[in-house]
PDB file of all heavy atoms in Angstrom:
ATOM      1  N   ILE B 161     106.656  97.718  71.464  1.00  0.00           N
ATOM      2  CA  ILE B 161     105.392  98.238  71.449  1.00  0.00           C
ATOM      3  C   ILE B 161     104.597  97.813  72.754  1.00  0.00           C
ATOM      4  O   ILE B 161     104.454  96.588  72.985  1.00  0.00           O
ATOM      5  CB  ILE B 161     104.556  97.757  70.236  1.00  0.00           C
ATOM      6  CG1 ILE B 161     105.293  98.046  68.869  1.00  0.00           C
ATOM      7  CG2 ILE B 161     103.070  98.309  70.114  1.00  0.00           C
ATOM      8  CD1 ILE B 161     104.624  97.317  67.719  1.00  0.00           C
ATOM      9  N   PRO B 162     104.153  98.775  73.477  1.00  0.00           N
ATOM     10  CA  PRO B 162     103.290  98.486  74.670  1.00  0.00           C
ATOM     11  C   PRO B 162     101.847  98.135  74.141  1.00  0.00           C
ATOM     12  O   PRO B 162     101.325  98.874  73.286  1.00  0.00           O
ATOM     13  CB  PRO B 162     103.279  99.601  75.468  1.00  0.00           C
ATOM     14  CG  PRO B 162     104.087 100.669  74.886  1.00  0.00           C
ATOM     15  CD  PRO B 162     104.288 100.161  73.367  1.00  0.00           C
ATOM     16  N   VAL B 163     101.296  97.139  74.673  1.00  0.00           N
ATOM     17  CA  VAL B 163      99.905  96.670  74.356  1.00  0.00           C
ATOM     18  C   VAL B 163      99.029  96.623  75.662  1.00  0.00           C
ATOM     19  O   VAL B 163      99.591  96.271  76.708  1.00  0.00           O
ATOM     20  CB  VAL B 163      99.826  95.309  73.530  1.00  0.00           C
ATOM     21  CG1 VAL B 163     100.512  95.420  72.239  1.00  0.00           C
ATOM     22  CG2 VAL B 163     100.502  94.257  74.285  1.00  0.00           C
ATOM     23  N   ALA B 164      97.781  96.870  75.501  1.00  0.00           N
ATOM     24  CA  ALA B 164      96.929  96.765  76.659  1.00  0.00           C
ATOM     25  C   ALA B 164      95.501  96.276  76.267  1.00  0.00           C
ATOM     26  O   ALA B 164      95.117  96.727  75.136  1.00  0.00           O
ATOM     27  CB  ALA B 164      96.782  98.099  77.400  1.00  0.00           C
ATOM     28  N   GLY B 165      94.843  95.493  76.974  1.00  0.00           N
ATOM     29  CA  GLY B 165      93.556  95.070  76.583  1.00  0.00           C
ATOM     30  C   GLY B 165      92.878  94.376  77.706  1.00  0.00           C
ATOM     31  O   GLY B 165      93.243  94.553  78.911  1.00  0.00           O
ATOM     32  N   SER B 166      91.840  93.542  77.380  1.00  0.00           N
ATOM     33  CA  SER B 166      91.051  92.936  78.512  1.00  0.00           C
ATOM     34  C   SER B 166      91.168  91.269  78.420  1.00  0.00           C
ATOM     35  O   SER B 166      91.233  90.788  77.401  1.00  0.00           O
ATOM     36  CB  SER B 166      89.518  93.179  78.367  1.00  0.00           C
ATOM     37  OG  SER B 166      89.380  94.528  78.072  1.00  0.00           O
ATOM     38  N   GLY B 167      91.349  90.782  79.630  1.00  0.00           N
ATOM     39  CA  GLY B 167      91.314  89.259  79.713  1.00  0.00           C
ATOM     40  C   GLY B 167      89.904  88.992  80.070  1.00  0.00           C
ATOM     41  O   GLY B 167      88.921  89.483  79.738  1.00  0.00           O
ATOM     42  N   LEU B 168      89.874  87.856  80.883  1.00  0.00           N
ATOM     43  CA  LEU B 168      88.612  87.362  81.271  1.00  0.00           C
ATOM     44  C   LEU B 168      88.007  88.184  82.561  1.00  0.00           C
ATOM     45  O   LEU B 168      86.894  88.642  82.521  1.00  0.00           O
ATOM     46  CB  LEU B 168      88.684  85.906  81.735  1.00  0.00           C
ATOM     47  CG  LEU B 168      87.522  85.267  82.426  1.00  0.00           C
ATOM     48  CD1 LEU B 168      86.236  85.301  81.423  1.00  0.00           C
ATOM     49  CD2 LEU B 168      87.773  83.791  82.769  1.00  0.00           C
ATOM     50  N   TRP B 169      88.825  88.423  83.562  1.00  0.00           N
ATOM     51  CA  TRP B 169      88.352  89.068  84.725  1.00  0.00           C
ATOM     52  C   TRP B 169      88.811  90.554  84.727  1.00  0.00           C
ATOM     53  O   TRP B 169      88.168  91.414  85.531  1.00  0.00           O
ATOM     54  CB  TRP B 169      88.976  88.486  85.918  1.00  0.00           C
ATOM     55  CG  TRP B 169      88.648  86.918  85.932  1.00  0.00           C
ATOM     56  CD1 TRP B 169      89.573  85.907  85.940  1.00  0.00           C
ATOM     57  CD2 TRP B 169      87.391  86.278  86.163  1.00  0.00           C
ATOM     58  NE1 TRP B 169      88.875  84.774  86.062  1.00  0.00           N
ATOM     59  CE2 TRP B 169      87.562  84.947  86.193  1.00  0.00           C
ATOM     60  CE3 TRP B 169      86.073  86.836  86.361  1.00  0.00           C
ATOM     61  CZ2 TRP B 169      86.533  84.045  86.374  1.00  0.00           C
ATOM     62  CZ3 TRP B 169      85.044  85.816  86.485  1.00  0.00           C
ATOM     63  CH2 TRP B 169      85.319  84.535  86.481  1.00  0.00           C
ATOM     64  N   GLY B 170      89.892  90.917  84.124  1.00  0.00           N
ATOM     65  CA  GLY B 170      90.342  92.303  84.261  1.00  0.00           C
ATOM     66  C   GLY B 170      91.271  92.602  83.261  1.00  0.00           C
ATOM     67  O   GLY B 170      91.509  91.917  82.203  1.00  0.00           O
ATOM     68  N   PRO B 171      92.082  93.666  83.433  1.00  0.00           N
ATOM     69  CA  PRO B 171      93.087  94.170  82.404  1.00  0.00           C
ATOM     70  C   PRO B 171      94.276  93.148  82.269  1.00  0.00           C
ATOM     71  O   PRO B 171      94.667  92.441  83.152  1.00  0.00           O
ATOM     72  CB  PRO B 171      93.597  95.500  83.006  1.00  0.00           C
ATOM     73  CG  PRO B 171      93.219  95.507  84.490  1.00  0.00           C
ATOM     74  CD  PRO B 171      92.057  94.615  84.610  1.00  0.00           C
ATOM     75  N   ILE B 172      94.580  93.063  80.972  1.00  0.00           N
ATOM     76  CA  ILE B 172      95.986  92.446  80.668  1.00  0.00           C
ATOM     77  C   ILE B 172      96.742  93.362  79.791  1.00  0.00           C
ATOM     78  O   ILE B 172      96.267  94.323  79.285  1.00  0.00           O
ATOM     79  CB  ILE B 172      95.690  91.118  79.777  1.00  0.00           C
ATOM     80  CG1 ILE B 172      94.948  91.256  78.612  1.00  0.00           C
ATOM     81  CG2 ILE B 172      95.216  90.038  80.658  1.00  0.00           C
ATOM     82  CD1 ILE B 172      94.731  90.106  77.768  1.00  0.00           C
ATOM     83  N   TRP B 173      98.022  93.232  79.968  1.00  0.00           N
ATOM     84  CA  TRP B 173      98.925  94.190  79.109  1.00  0.00           C
ATOM     85  C   TRP B 173     100.270  93.511  78.868  1.00  0.00           C
ATOM     86  O   TRP B 173     100.481  92.308  79.194  1.00  0.00           O
ATOM     87  CB  TRP B 173      99.155  95.426  79.874  1.00  0.00           C
ATOM     88  CG  TRP B 173      99.800  95.200  81.215  1.00  0.00           C
ATOM     89  CD1 TRP B 173     101.146  95.250  81.484  1.00  0.00           C
ATOM     90  CD2 TRP B 173      99.212  94.957  82.516  1.00  0.00           C
ATOM     91  NE1 TRP B 173     101.427  94.966  82.694  1.00  0.00           N
ATOM     92  CE2 TRP B 173     100.189  94.766  83.373  1.00  0.00           C
ATOM     93  CE3 TRP B 173      97.792  94.757  82.957  1.00  0.00           C
ATOM     94  CZ2 TRP B 173     100.035  94.506  84.752  1.00  0.00           C
ATOM     95  CZ3 TRP B 173      97.657  94.526  84.105  1.00  0.00           C
ATOM     96  CH2 TRP B 173      98.767  94.347  85.235  1.00  0.00           C
ATOM     97  N   GLY B 174     101.033  94.167  78.153  1.00  0.00           N
ATOM     98  CA  GLY B 174     102.367  93.462  77.806  1.00  0.00           C
ATOM     99  C   GLY B 174     103.169  94.317  76.829  1.00  0.00           C
ATOM    100  O   GLY B 174     102.796  95.593  76.490  1.00  0.00           O
ATOM    101  N   PHE B 175     104.207  93.782  76.431  1.00  0.00           N
ATOM    102  CA  PHE B 175     105.180  94.500  75.480  1.00  0.00           C
ATOM    103  C   PHE B 175     105.541  93.485  74.398  1.00  0.00           C
ATOM    104  O   PHE B 175     105.930  92.330  74.691  1.00  0.00           O
ATOM    105  CB  PHE B 175     106.510  95.025  76.191  1.00  0.00           C
ATOM    106  CG  PHE B 175     106.079  95.957  77.244  1.00  0.00           C
ATOM    107  CD1 PHE B 175     105.877  95.562  78.626  1.00  0.00           C
ATOM    108  CD2 PHE B 175     106.007  97.280  76.869  1.00  0.00           C
ATOM    109  CE1 PHE B 175     105.572  96.515  79.479  1.00  0.00           C
ATOM    110  CE2 PHE B 175     105.544  98.230  77.812  1.00  0.00           C
ATOM    111  CZ  PHE B 175     105.449  97.925  79.069  1.00  0.00           C
ATOM    112  N   VAL B 176     105.521  93.911  73.133  1.00  0.00           N
ATOM    113  CA  VAL B 176     105.935  93.089  71.980  1.00  0.00           C
ATOM    114  C   VAL B 176     107.043  93.719  71.378  1.00  0.00           C
ATOM    115  O   VAL B 176     106.915  94.949  71.048  1.00  0.00           O
ATOM    116  CB  VAL B 176     104.807  92.853  71.000  1.00  0.00           C
ATOM    117  CG1 VAL B 176     105.134  92.223  69.761  1.00  0.00           C
ATOM    118  CG2 VAL B 176     103.538  92.360  71.669  1.00  0.00           C
ATOM    119  N   ALA B 177     108.129  92.941  71.128  1.00  0.00           N
ATOM    120  CA  ALA B 177     109.411  93.589  70.629  1.00  0.00           C
ATOM    121  C   ALA B 177     109.582  93.050  69.276  1.00  0.00           C
ATOM    122  O   ALA B 177     109.390  91.785  68.946  1.00  0.00           O
ATOM    123  CB  ALA B 177     110.637  93.283  71.406  1.00  0.00           C
ATOM    124  N   LEU B 178     109.778  94.016  68.307  1.00  0.00           N
ATOM    125  CA  LEU B 178     109.950  93.671  66.790  1.00  0.00           C
ATOM    126  C   LEU B 178     111.399  93.871  66.469  1.00  0.00           C
ATOM    127  O   LEU B 178     111.971  94.784  66.898  1.00  0.00           O
ATOM    128  CB  LEU B 178     109.062  94.509  65.857  1.00  0.00           C
ATOM    129  CG  LEU B 178     107.421  94.371  66.201  1.00  0.00           C
ATOM    130  CD1 LEU B 178     106.677  95.222  65.197  1.00  0.00           C
ATOM    131  CD2 LEU B 178     107.102  92.872  66.046  1.00  0.00           C
ATOM    132  N   GLU B 179     111.885  93.127  65.510  1.00  0.00           N
ATOM    133  CA  GLU B 179     113.308  93.224  65.054  1.00  0.00           C
ATOM    134  C   GLU B 179     113.297  94.496  64.161  1.00  0.00           C
ATOM    135  O   GLU B 179     112.327  94.988  63.785  1.00  0.00           O
ATOM    136  CB  GLU B 179     113.787  91.940  64.365  1.00  0.00           C
ATOM    137  CG  GLU B 179     114.026  90.908  65.328  1.00  0.00           C
ATOM    138  CD  GLU B 179     114.553  89.507  64.714  1.00  0.00           C
ATOM    139  OE1 GLU B 179     114.880  89.577  63.501  1.00  0.00           O
ATOM    140  OE2 GLU B 179     114.548  88.467  65.346  1.00  0.00           O
ATOM    141  N   SER B 180     114.431  94.667  63.614  1.00  0.00           N
ATOM    142  CA  SER B 180     114.704  95.883  62.844  1.00  0.00           C
ATOM    143  C   SER B 180     113.845  95.832  61.451  1.00  0.00           C
ATOM    144  O   SER B 180     113.660  96.920  60.915  1.00  0.00           O
ATOM    145  CB  SER B 180     116.110  96.203  62.515  1.00  0.00           C
ATOM    146  OG  SER B 180     116.860  95.040  62.129  1.00  0.00           O
ATOM    147  N   ASP B 181     113.510  94.523  61.023  1.00  0.00           N
ATOM    148  CA  ASP B 181     112.678  94.535  59.875  1.00  0.00           C
ATOM    149  C   ASP B 181     111.189  94.983  60.048  1.00  0.00           C
ATOM    150  O   ASP B 181     110.301  94.931  59.174  1.00  0.00           O
ATOM    151  CB  ASP B 181     112.802  93.114  59.247  1.00  0.00           C
ATOM    152  CG  ASP B 181     112.134  92.056  60.204  1.00  0.00           C
ATOM    153  OD1 ASP B 181     111.736  92.462  61.303  1.00  0.00           O
ATOM    154  OD2 ASP B 181     112.043  90.849  59.723  1.00  0.00           O
ATOM    155  N   MET B 182     110.826  95.064  61.449  1.00  0.00           N
ATOM    156  CA  MET B 182     109.673  95.446  61.820  1.00  0.00           C
ATOM    157  C   MET B 182     108.584  94.394  61.450  1.00  0.00           C
ATOM    158  O   MET B 182     107.302  94.704  61.434  1.00  0.00           O
ATOM    159  CB  MET B 182     109.152  96.812  61.323  1.00  0.00           C
ATOM    160  CG  MET B 182     110.069  97.928  61.697  1.00  0.00           C
ATOM    161  SD  MET B 182     109.861  99.466  60.840  1.00  0.00           S
ATOM    162  CE  MET B 182     111.406 100.294  61.236  1.00  0.00           C
ATOM    163  N   LYS B 183     108.880  93.327  61.207  1.00  0.00           N
ATOM    164  CA  LYS B 183     107.968  92.107  60.990  1.00  0.00           C
ATOM    165  C   LYS B 183     108.125  90.979  61.870  1.00  0.00           C
ATOM    166  O   LYS B 183     107.142  90.306  62.273  1.00  0.00           O
ATOM    167  CB  LYS B 183     108.355  91.664  59.497  1.00  0.00           C
ATOM    168  CG  LYS B 183     107.683  92.605  58.464  1.00  0.00           C
ATOM    169  CD  LYS B 183     106.264  92.230  58.135  1.00  0.00           C
ATOM    170  CE  LYS B 183     105.615  93.295  57.312  1.00  0.00           C
ATOM    171  NZ  LYS B 183     104.738  94.065  58.043  1.00  0.00           N
ATOM    172  N   THR B 184     109.469  90.709  62.161  1.00  0.00           N
ATOM    173  CA  THR B 184     109.634  89.437  63.004  1.00  0.00           C
ATOM    174  C   THR B 184     109.555  89.787  64.589  1.00  0.00           C
ATOM    175  O   THR B 184     110.143  90.880  65.003  1.00  0.00           O
ATOM    176  CB  THR B 184     111.082  89.074  62.693  1.00  0.00           C
ATOM    177  OG1 THR B 184     111.224  88.933  61.267  1.00  0.00           O
ATOM    178  CG2 THR B 184     111.294  87.668  63.406  1.00  0.00           C
ATOM    179  N   ILE B 185     109.032  88.976  65.346  1.00  0.00           N
ATOM    180  CA  ILE B 185     108.802  89.256  66.731  1.00  0.00           C
ATOM    181  C   ILE B 185     110.190  88.841  67.496  1.00  0.00           C
ATOM    182  O   ILE B 185     110.591  87.750  67.268  1.00  0.00           O
ATOM    183  CB  ILE B 185     107.699  88.500  67.377  1.00  0.00           C
ATOM    184  CG1 ILE B 185     106.377  89.028  66.690  1.00  0.00           C
ATOM    185  CG2 ILE B 185     107.583  88.714  68.963  1.00  0.00           C
ATOM    186  CD1 ILE B 185     105.063  88.381  67.241  1.00  0.00           C
ATOM    187  N   TYR B 186     110.861  89.794  68.078  1.00  0.00           N
ATOM    188  CA  TYR B 186     111.953  89.514  68.853  1.00  0.00           C
ATOM    189  C   TYR B 186     111.705  88.791  70.174  1.00  0.00           C
ATOM    190  O   TYR B 186     112.439  87.985  70.636  1.00  0.00           O
ATOM    191  CB  TYR B 186     112.797  90.694  68.984  1.00  0.00           C
ATOM    192  CG  TYR B 186     114.159  90.491  69.524  1.00  0.00           C
ATOM    193  CD1 TYR B 186     115.344  90.090  68.626  1.00  0.00           C
ATOM    194  CD2 TYR B 186     114.472  90.719  70.857  1.00  0.00           C
ATOM    195  CE1 TYR B 186     116.406  89.933  69.214  1.00  0.00           C
ATOM    196  CE2 TYR B 186     115.655  90.548  71.393  1.00  0.00           C
ATOM    197  CZ  TYR B 186     116.636  90.061  70.521  1.00  0.00           C
ATOM    198  OH  TYR B 186     117.884  89.817  71.139  1.00  0.00           O
ATOM    199  N   GLY B 187     110.652  89.271  70.730  1.00  0.00           N
ATOM    200  CA  GLY B 187     110.363  88.793  72.166  1.00  0.00           C
ATOM    201  C   GLY B 187     108.941  89.475  72.593  1.00  0.00           C
ATOM    202  O   GLY B 187     108.572  90.342  71.914  1.00  0.00           O
ATOM    203  N   ALA B 188     108.539  88.878  73.611  1.00  0.00           N
ATOM    204  CA  ALA B 188     107.203  89.435  74.100  1.00  0.00           C
ATOM    205  C   ALA B 188     107.127  89.056  75.686  1.00  0.00           C
ATOM    206  O   ALA B 188     107.815  88.348  76.145  1.00  0.00           O
ATOM    207  CB  ALA B 188     106.047  88.793  73.442  1.00  0.00           C
ATOM    208  N   LYS B 189     106.291  90.024  76.250  1.00  0.00           N
ATOM    209  CA  LYS B 189     106.272  89.853  77.720  1.00  0.00           C
ATOM    210  C   LYS B 189     104.859  90.187  78.104  1.00  0.00           C
ATOM    211  O   LYS B 189     104.387  91.409  77.685  1.00  0.00           O
ATOM    212  CB  LYS B 189     107.313  90.760  78.389  1.00  0.00           C
ATOM    213  CG  LYS B 189     107.288  90.441  79.892  1.00  0.00           C
ATOM    214  CD  LYS B 189     108.705  89.806  80.151  1.00  0.00           C
ATOM    215  CE  LYS B 189     108.641  89.321  81.683  1.00  0.00           C
ATOM    216  NZ  LYS B 189     108.728  88.098  81.895  1.00  0.00           N
ATOM    217  N   PHE B 190     104.081  89.399  78.736  1.00  0.00           N
ATOM    218  CA  PHE B 190     102.628  89.736  79.099  1.00  0.00           C
ATOM    219  C   PHE B 190     102.475  89.702  80.601  1.00  0.00           C
ATOM    220  O   PHE B 190     103.238  89.060  81.262  1.00  0.00           O
ATOM    221  CB  PHE B 190     101.683  88.710  78.351  1.00  0.00           C
ATOM    222  CG  PHE B 190     101.822  88.737  76.798  1.00  0.00           C
ATOM    223  CD1 PHE B 190     102.431  87.870  76.107  1.00  0.00           C
ATOM    224  CD2 PHE B 190     101.234  89.940  76.225  1.00  0.00           C
ATOM    225  CE1 PHE B 190     102.447  87.846  74.769  1.00  0.00           C
ATOM    226  CE2 PHE B 190     101.451  90.054  74.796  1.00  0.00           C
ATOM    227  CZ  PHE B 190     102.033  88.924  74.068  1.00  0.00           C
ATOM    228  N   ASP B 191     101.488  90.366  80.976  1.00  0.00           N
ATOM    229  CA  ASP B 191     101.159  90.458  82.377  1.00  0.00           C
ATOM    230  C   ASP B 191      99.667  90.676  82.601  1.00  0.00           C
ATOM    231  O   ASP B 191      98.930  91.007  81.560  1.00  0.00           O
ATOM    232  CB  ASP B 191     101.962  91.393  83.117  1.00  0.00           C
ATOM    233  CG  ASP B 191     102.144  91.036  84.598  1.00  0.00           C
ATOM    234  OD1 ASP B 191     101.417  90.169  85.062  1.00  0.00           O
ATOM    235  OD2 ASP B 191     103.027  91.595  85.307  1.00  0.00           O
ATOM    236  N   HIS B 192      99.071  90.430  83.690  1.00  0.00           N
ATOM    237  CA  HIS B 192      97.701  90.599  83.968  1.00  0.00           C
ATOM    238  C   HIS B 192      97.408  91.011  85.378  1.00  0.00           C
ATOM    239  O   HIS B 192      98.197  90.982  86.242  1.00  0.00           O
ATOM    240  CB  HIS B 192      97.080  89.149  83.789  1.00  0.00           C
ATOM    241  CG  HIS B 192      97.534  88.231  84.877  1.00  0.00           C
ATOM    242  ND1 HIS B 192      96.832  87.857  85.915  1.00  0.00           N
ATOM    243  CD2 HIS B 192      98.632  87.548  84.887  1.00  0.00           C
ATOM    244  CE1 HIS B 192      97.503  87.184  86.716  1.00  0.00           C
ATOM    245  NE2 HIS B 192      98.571  86.917  86.140  1.00  0.00           N
ATOM    246  N   LYS B 193      96.131  91.329  85.553  1.00  0.00           N
ATOM    247  CA  LYS B 193      95.934  91.825  86.977  1.00  0.00           C
ATOM    248  C   LYS B 193      95.099  90.664  87.845  1.00  0.00           C
ATOM    249  O   LYS B 193      95.782  90.259  88.785  1.00  0.00           O
ATOM    250  CB  LYS B 193      95.037  93.115  87.021  1.00  0.00           C
ATOM    251  CG  LYS B 193      94.827  93.671  88.287  1.00  0.00           C
ATOM    252  CD  LYS B 193      94.082  95.076  88.255  1.00  0.00           C
ATOM    253  CE  LYS B 193      93.936  95.516  89.753  1.00  0.00           C
ATOM    254  NZ  LYS B 193      92.914  96.411  89.655  1.00  0.00           N
TER     255      LYS B 193
END
Side-chain angles (χ1 to χ4, degrees):
Chain B
I161 303 172
V163 291
S166 308
L168 173 60
W169 305 112
I172 54 175
W173 61 90
F175 297 92
V176 179
L178 299 179
E179 285 179 18
S180 48
D181 66 355
M182 301 166 191
K183 283 272 166 256
T184 314
I185 297 179
Y186 185 83
K189 189 106 190 120
F190 299 104
D191 209 343
H192 65 97
K193 192 171 178 202

